[in-house]
C-alpha cells in the first residue's frame, strides 16, 4: 500500500512538472509566434490572390527534407507537399504541391487557391473517400535565421477529385507541434507525440488524439496502461485490426543550463482499441518485445507500410554527441517489421535475376574448363567500401562512403546452397540511394519511392532532390528515377553581416523560381492590390516609396501593442517579399 502510494505521488508529481513546463514553453513561445504570425498571414494573403487551379509540367521539385510524400488512392501518382531547405544562412519553407506520374516518370506542379501556409515536419494521411482526400495536420514555420519557430495546430484536407483545399476548424484538437505522427485508422486520424520548441525551451509530447472522419470532431484519448515516454519522429503504423504500433523516436532533456542530452528510443508499444466506432471505445497501451533483428538506434528515419502486413523503416542518422561537436552516421538501409509475426528483419537485395543466371552459368563454365586441375586459390574478400565523389557547383567535393559486405571465404558448396545465398544476399555492387535522414517516402503497388532528404559532411548540410524506387515484392535492385543534381547544391558560409538580410530576404519561404510574373499579373486582375512595383524599381527604391503603407499593413496584423521597431522590421520584410513576387 505504501509503495503504491509513493508511486502514485511520484506519477502525479511528474504530471505537475510536465504541466508547468508546458505553460512555461507556451508563455515564451507565444511572444515569438506573434512575431511570425504577421508574416504567415501576409503570405496567405498573397496565396489568396491565386483564384484558378493551374497544373503545369515542371522539372523535379527543388531539394528539400521534412515534407510529405503520399500515394494517390486511385491513380498512379505520388503527392509531394511542403518541406524545408537550408543553405547555410537561410531557412526556406514550402507549401507547394507537386504530382509525380509514376507511369510517365514526370512531375507537374499543382497550384490551388488558398493552400495551407508554408511548413515542414507536418504529417499527411490519405483516405479513399470521395475520390481521395489528403489530410494535413500541424508542422512548423521557422524564421529565416532558424531561431524562431511557429508550430501549427491546424487541420487541412485536399480534395483530390475537385482539387480544392479546405481548412477544417474543429475545437479540442492537439496543441501546436511538429515531429508528431499521424495515421488513418478505420474512420479516424490518430495523432501521437511530437514536440514544441521556442528559442530557449522545448517540450516533447506523448498524448494521443483522434479525429473522427465522419463527425469531424476531435477527442483526446486516455488509454489505460503504461505508454511510450514523450518523443517525436517515431514510427507509427496502423494494423488491419484497427490498432496502432509505436516504435522508436527521439527526445531530449535539459540536464543543466544550456546542456541538453538526446535519447534515441528503441522500444515498441501497441495501442489497442476495443469497441471501435462505439460510444464506449477503449484504448490500452502495452509493451511489445519483438523477435528478429531490430534496426540500430537512429533518428530521422522515414516510415511507410509495405505489402504483406509489414511496415518499413528507411534511412536515418545516429548522432554521436561529443562535448563540442555532433557527428552523425547516416543510413540507407531498410528494415521490415512483420505485424503478424511481431518480428523485425533487415531487407536484403537479391540482385536482378538475369545477373544471377549469368553468374551461375559463369561458374559452371569455369568449373568445366578447369577439369581436374587445381583451381587457383583466391584470397577471401572482406567488406567492400565504395567511395563516390560529387562536385557541387561551387567546387565543393562531396565524398559519400558506403560499405557493402563482401562474400565470405569460399568453400565447397552445393548448387542449392549457392542459390540460397543468391536469394538472400546482394550480388555485386548495387545502385542505391546515398545514406540520408528526413527523406520523404511512399509505397504504391508494392513499390517504395524515396525522395530527397539530407546528409552532412563536416559542418555542411547537403539537401537532396533525387528519387529512387525499389519493388518490395522482388527486392532485386534500386532504380534511379531522378539523379542527384550537384548544381542544386548551394551552401553559404554563415556571416554576421548577413543577419539583417536573413530576416528580410528569406522570410518568403522559398517560392519556386519557375513561377512567372506573367501568371501572377493575371491572377492579380480584379483583386485588391498592394502598391505596384514600378518598372526597373529596385527593392530599396520600392521600400522607400511605400514604407508607410507597409507599416500600416504590419500594424494591422500585429496589433497596436506591438513595438514600433518590430512593426517596421516586419513591414520591411513584407515589402521586400512583395517586390520579389512582383519582379
Amino acid at each position: 500500500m505504501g509503495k503504491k502510494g509513493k508511486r502514485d505521488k511520484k506519477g502525479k508529481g511528474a504530471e505537475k512538472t510536465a504541466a508547468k513546463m508546458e505553460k512555461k514553453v507556451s508563455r515564451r513561445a507565444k511572444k515569438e509566434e506573434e512575431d511570425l504570425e504577421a508574416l504567415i498571414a501576409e503570405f496567405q494573403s498573397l496565396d489568396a490572390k491565386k483564384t484558378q487551379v493551374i497544373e503545369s509540367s515542371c522539372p523535379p521539385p527543388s531539394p528539400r527534407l521534412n515534407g510529405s510524400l503520399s500515394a494517390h488512392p486511385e491513380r498512379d501518382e505520388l503527392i509531394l507537399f511542403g518541406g524545408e531547405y537550408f543553405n547555410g544562412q537561410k531557412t526556406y519553407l514550402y507549401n507547394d504541391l507537386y504530382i509525380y506520374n509514376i507511369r510517365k516518370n514526370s512531375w507537374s506542379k499543382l497550384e490551388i487557391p488558398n493552400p495551407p501556409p508554408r511548413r515542414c515536419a507536418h504529417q499527411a494521411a490519405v483516405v479513399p473517400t470521395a475520390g481521395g482526400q489528403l489530410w494535413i495536420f500541424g508542422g512548423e514555420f521557422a524564421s529565416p535565421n532558424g531561431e524562431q519557430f511557429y508550430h501549427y495546430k491546424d487541420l487541412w484536407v485536399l480534395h483530390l477529385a475537385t482539387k480544392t483545399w479546405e481548412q477544417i476548424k474543429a475545437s479540442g484538437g492537439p496543441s501546436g507541434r511538429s515531429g508528431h505522427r499521424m495515421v488513418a485508422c478505420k474512420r479516424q486520424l490518430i495523432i501521437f507525440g511530437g514536440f514544441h520548441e521556442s528559442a530557449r525551451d522545448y517540450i516533447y509530447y506523448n498524448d494521443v488524439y483522434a479525429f473522427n472522419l465522419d463527425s469531424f470532431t476531435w477527442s483526446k484519448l486516455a488509454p489505460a496502461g503504461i505508454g511510450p515516454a514523450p518523443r517525436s519522429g517515431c514510427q507509427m503504423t496502423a494494423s488491419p485490426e484497427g490498432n496502432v504500433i509505436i516504435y522508436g523516436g527521439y527526445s531530449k532533456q535539459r540536464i543543466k543550463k544550456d546542456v541538453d542530452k538526446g535519447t534515441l528510443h528503441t522500444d515498441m508499444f501497441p495501442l489497442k482499441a476495443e469497441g471501435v466506432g462505439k460510444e464506449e471505445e477503449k484504448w490500452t497501451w502495452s509493451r511489445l518485445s519483438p523477435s528478429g533483428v531490430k534496426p540500430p538506434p537512429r533518428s530521422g528515419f522515414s516510415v511507410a507500410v509495405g505489402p504483406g502486413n509489414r511496415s518499413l523503416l528507411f534511412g536515418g542518422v545516429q548522432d554521436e554527441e561529443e562535448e563540442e561537436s555532433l557527428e552523425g552516421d547516416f543510413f540507407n538501409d531498410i528494415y521490415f517489421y512483420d505485424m503478424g509475426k511481431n518480428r523485425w528483419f533487415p531487407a536484403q537485395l537479391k540482385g536482378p535475376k538475369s545477373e544471377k543466371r549469368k553468374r551461375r552459368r559463369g561458374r559452371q563454365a569455369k568449373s568445366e574448363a578447369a577439369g581436374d586441375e587445381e583451381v587457383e586459390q583466391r584470397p577471401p574478400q572482406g567488406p567492400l567500401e565504395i567511395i563516390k565523389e560529387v562536385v557541387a557547383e561551387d567546387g565543393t567535393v562531396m565524398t559519400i562512403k558506403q560499405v557493402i559486405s563482401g562474400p565470405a571465404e569460399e568453400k565447397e558448396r552445393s548448387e542449392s546452397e549457392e542459390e540460397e545465398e543468391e536469394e538472400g544476399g546482394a550480388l555485386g555492387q548495387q545502385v542505391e540511394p546515398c545514406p540520408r535522414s528526413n527523406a520523404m517516402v511512399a509505397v504504391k503497388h508494392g513499390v517504395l519511392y524515396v525522395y530527397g532528404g539530407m546528409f552532412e559532411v563536416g559542418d555542411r548540410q547537403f539537401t537532396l532532390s533525387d528519387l529512387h524506387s525499389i519493388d518490395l515484392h522482388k527486392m532485386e535492385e534500386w532504380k534511379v528515377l531522378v539523379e542527384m543534381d550537384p548544381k542544386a547544391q548551394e551552401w553559404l558560409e554563415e556571416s554576421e553581416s548577413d543577419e539583417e538580410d536573413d530576416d528580410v530576404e528569406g522570410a518568403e519561404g522559398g517560392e519556386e523560381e519557375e513561377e512567372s510574373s506573367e501568371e501572377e499579373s493575371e491572377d492579380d486582375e480584379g483583386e485588391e492590390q498592394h502598391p505596384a512595383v514600378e518598372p526597373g524599381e529596385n527593392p530599396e527604391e520600392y521600400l522607400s516609396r511605400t514604407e508607410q503603407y507597409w507599416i500600416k499593413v504590419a500594424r494591422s496584423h500585429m496589433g497596436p501593442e506591438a513595438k514600433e521597431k518590430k512593426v517596421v522590421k516586419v513591414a520591411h520584410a513584407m515589402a521586400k517579399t512583395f517586390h520579389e513576387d512582383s519582379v
Side-chain angles (χ1 to χ4, degrees):
M1 186 73 179
K3 287 183 179 178
K4 185 180 179 184
K6 285 181 181 178
R7 281 200 302 268
D8 290 344
K9 284 182 180 178
K10 188 176 180 181
K12 288 177 181 177
E15 288 176 11
K16 286 181 180 179
T17 302
K20 285 180 181 178
M21 175 58 76
E22 185 161 5
K23 286 182 180 178
K24 185 180 178 184
V25 172
S26 180
R27 280 197 303 269
R28 289 183 175 176
K30 187 177 180 182
K31 192 169 184 306
E32 293 176 13
E33 292 185 346
E34 283 174 355
D35 295 341
L36 296 177
E37 278 176 352
L39 283 175
I40 294 170
E42 179 60 20
F43 300 154
Q44 284 188 280
S45 71
L46 293 173
D47 284 330
K49 289 181 180 181
K50 299 172 182 177
T51 58
Q52 297 179 344
V53 175
I54 301 173
E55 185 168 3
S56 55
S57 298
C58 66
S62 59
R64 64 190 65 198
L65 65 150
N66 286 329
S68 58
L69 187 66
S70 309
H72 195 296
E74 295 186 354
R75 299 181 181 178
D76 291 337
E77 294 177 346
L78 305 179
I79 307 161
L80 176 65
F81 173 76
E84 65 175 312
Y85 173 73
F86 178 60
N87 68 359
Q89 289 184 0
K90 299 175 190 174
T91 300
Y92 296 88
L93 280 298
Y94 304 104
N95 68 341
D96 40 16
L97 189 67
Y98 289 93
I99 306 296
Y100 175 71
N101 187 304
I102 293 173
R103 292 186 179 182
K104 297 180 180 178
N105 187 24
S106 62
W107 289 94
S108 60
K109 188 172 185 180
L110 187 56
E111 297 182 61
I112 299 175
N114 299 306
R118 294 159 176 79
R119 67 190 63 204
C120 66
H122 55 279
Q123 281 288 278
V126 170
V127 296
T129 307
Q133 296 175 338
L134 175 72
W135 289 83
I136 302 286
F137 175 79
E140 71 183 43
F141 178 88
S143 62
N145 60 14
E147 293 181 0
Q148 288 181 297
F149 304 94
Y150 182 93
H151 294 265
Y152 295 104
K153 57 179 179 180
D154 51 355
L155 179 67
W156 294 76
V157 58
L158 173 62
H159 301 280
L160 297 172
T162 59
K163 297 179 181 176
T164 54
W165 281 109
E166 179 186 1
Q167 184 175 4
I168 306 300
K169 296 185 178 179
S171 60
S175 57
R177 63 189 63 195
S178 58
H180 52 288
R181 290 294 177 257
M182 178 174 78
V183 294
C185 187
K186 301 297 185 182
R187 288 295 296 162
Q188 298 184 107
L189 300 175
I190 308 294
I191 291 175
F192 168 80
F195 72 98
H196 187 290
E197 185 175 15
S198 67
R200 290 186 292 173
D201 293 301
Y202 54 82
I203 183 169
Y204 284 79
Y205 299 106
N206 64 346
D207 47 5
V208 188
Y209 285 81
F211 181 78
N212 189 298
L213 291 169
D214 296 316
S215 63
F216 279 26
T217 54
W218 284 106
S219 59
K220 184 175 183 180
L221 306 185
I226 299 175
R231 65 192 64 192
S232 70
C234 61
Q235 182 181 45
M236 184 178 184
T237 309
S239 72
E241 299 77 35
N243 302 320
V244 172
I245 299 172
I246 300 293
Y247 166 76
Y250 174 83
S251 65
K252 62 181 179 179
Q253 60 183 15
R254 188 147 292 164
I255 54 177
K256 57 184 178 180
K257 188 176 180 181
D258 299 327
V259 179
D260 299 321
K261 181 175 176 57
T263 300
L264 293 175
H265 300 278
T266 58
D267 44 8
M268 285 189 83
F269 296 84
L271 178 60
K272 295 186 177 180
E274 295 178 7
V276 176
K278 299 178 182 178
E279 289 185 16
E280 302 249 338
E281 186 176 278
K282 293 182 180 179
W283 295 81
T284 304
W285 285 114
S286 58
R287 188 102 180 216
L288 266 181
S289 297
S291 63
V293 181
K294 288 172 69 174
R298 66 188 70 190
S299 63
F301 52 78
S302 306
V303 298
V305 177
N309 199 22
R310 295 170 175 174
S311 61
L312 67 88
L313 173 158
F314 169 81
V317 59
Q318 184 179 46
D319 289 324
E320 298 176 6
E321 298 184 26
E322 303 292 337
E323 285 189 13
E324 296 182 359
S325 64
L326 192 67
E327 294 292 331
D329 292 326
F330 289 81
F331 300 97
N332 63 347
D333 49 2
I334 299 175
Y335 275 81
F336 290 105
Y337 173 70
D338 189 314
M339 289 182 270
K341 297 179 180 178
N342 185 27
R343 175 175 169 266
W344 279 103
F345 61 97
Q348 296 287 339
L349 292 185
K350 299 174 182 177
K353 287 184 179 179
S354 59
E355 182 68 21
K356 285 188 282 187
R357 282 196 294 268
K358 285 179 186 176
R359 286 171 173 267
R360 194 173 293 124
R361 285 197 299 268
R363 281 197 299 269
Q364 289 171 352
K366 186 175 180 180
S367 176
E368 290 170 5
D372 296 331
E373 294 179 12
E374 186 178 342
V375 179
E376 184 182 348
Q377 296 294 316
R378 288 176 298 174
Q381 297 178 20
L384 175 66
E385 183 176 75
I386 299 174
I387 300 178
K388 303 177 184 177
E389 289 191 348
V390 179
V391 182
E393 193 173 26
D394 62 2
T396 303
V397 178
M398 297 181 283
T399 302
I400 304 171
K401 292 185 180 180
Q402 293 176 253
V403 177
I404 298 177
S405 55
E409 184 175 352
E410 290 195 12
K411 298 177 182 177
E412 289 187 15
R413 294 168 295 178
S414 67
E415 187 174 324
S416 61
E417 285 176 332
E418 289 175 348
E419 286 179 9
E420 284 177 13
E421 183 183 280
E422 288 171 352
E423 290 298 317
L427 291 174
Q429 182 178 337
Q430 297 286 332
V431 174
E432 52 189 3
C434 71
R436 66 191 68 197
S437 69
N438 305 91
M440 291 135 280
V441 302
V443 173
K444 182 70 176 179
H445 298 316
V447 177
L448 171 67
Y449 295 87
V450 177
Y451 181 81
M454 60 82 73
F455 67 93
E456 294 168 345
V457 178
D459 294 330
R460 177 169 177 171
Q461 174 179 310
F462 292 91
T463 307
L464 303 165
S465 59
D466 52 353
L467 178 64
H468 291 73
S469 70
I470 186 169
D471 189 320
L472 298 174
H473 293 289
K474 299 176 180 178
M475 287 304 297
E476 290 180 356
E477 59 182 339
W478 283 97
K479 293 182 179 178
V480 183
L481 303 174
V482 177
E483 294 271 8
M484 180 171 66
D485 182 7
K487 293 181 181 179
Q489 297 298 327
E490 176 190 47
W491 188 256
L492 306 175
E493 295 300 328
E494 194 172 350
S495 169
E496 291 182 11
S497 62
D498 291 330
E499 285 182 5
E500 188 172 340
D501 290 340
D502 286 351
D503 292 336
V504 180
E505 293 178 13
E508 165 60 18
E511 276 291 310
E512 296 299 315
E513 290 180 6
E514 63 263 23
E515 288 201 14
S516 67
S517 57
E518 204 172 294
E519 287 177 357
E520 292 203 12
S521 63
E522 287 175 6
D523 291 339
D524 291 346
E525 288 179 11
E527 300 287 329
E528 183 181 346
Q529 296 185 23
H530 298 303
V533 177
E534 300 290 344
E537 191 172 35
N538 65 37
E540 289 72 25
E541 292 169 340
Y542 176 74
L543 177 60
S544 175
R545 182 170 61 83
T546 63
E547 183 178 29
Q548 291 307 311
Y549 168 83
W550 287 105
I551 287 175
K552 285 182 182 179
V553 174
R555 175 68 70 186
S556 68
H557 285 304
M558 300 174 72
E561 71 281 355
K563 292 182 179 179
E564 186 65 24
K565 188 176 180 180
K566 286 191 175 180
V567 172
V568 171
K569 190 175 182 180
V570 171
H572 287 189
M574 289 177 172
K576 204 141 192 178
T577 295
F578 181 76
H579 181 277
E580 289 174 357
D581 278 352
S582 300
V583 299

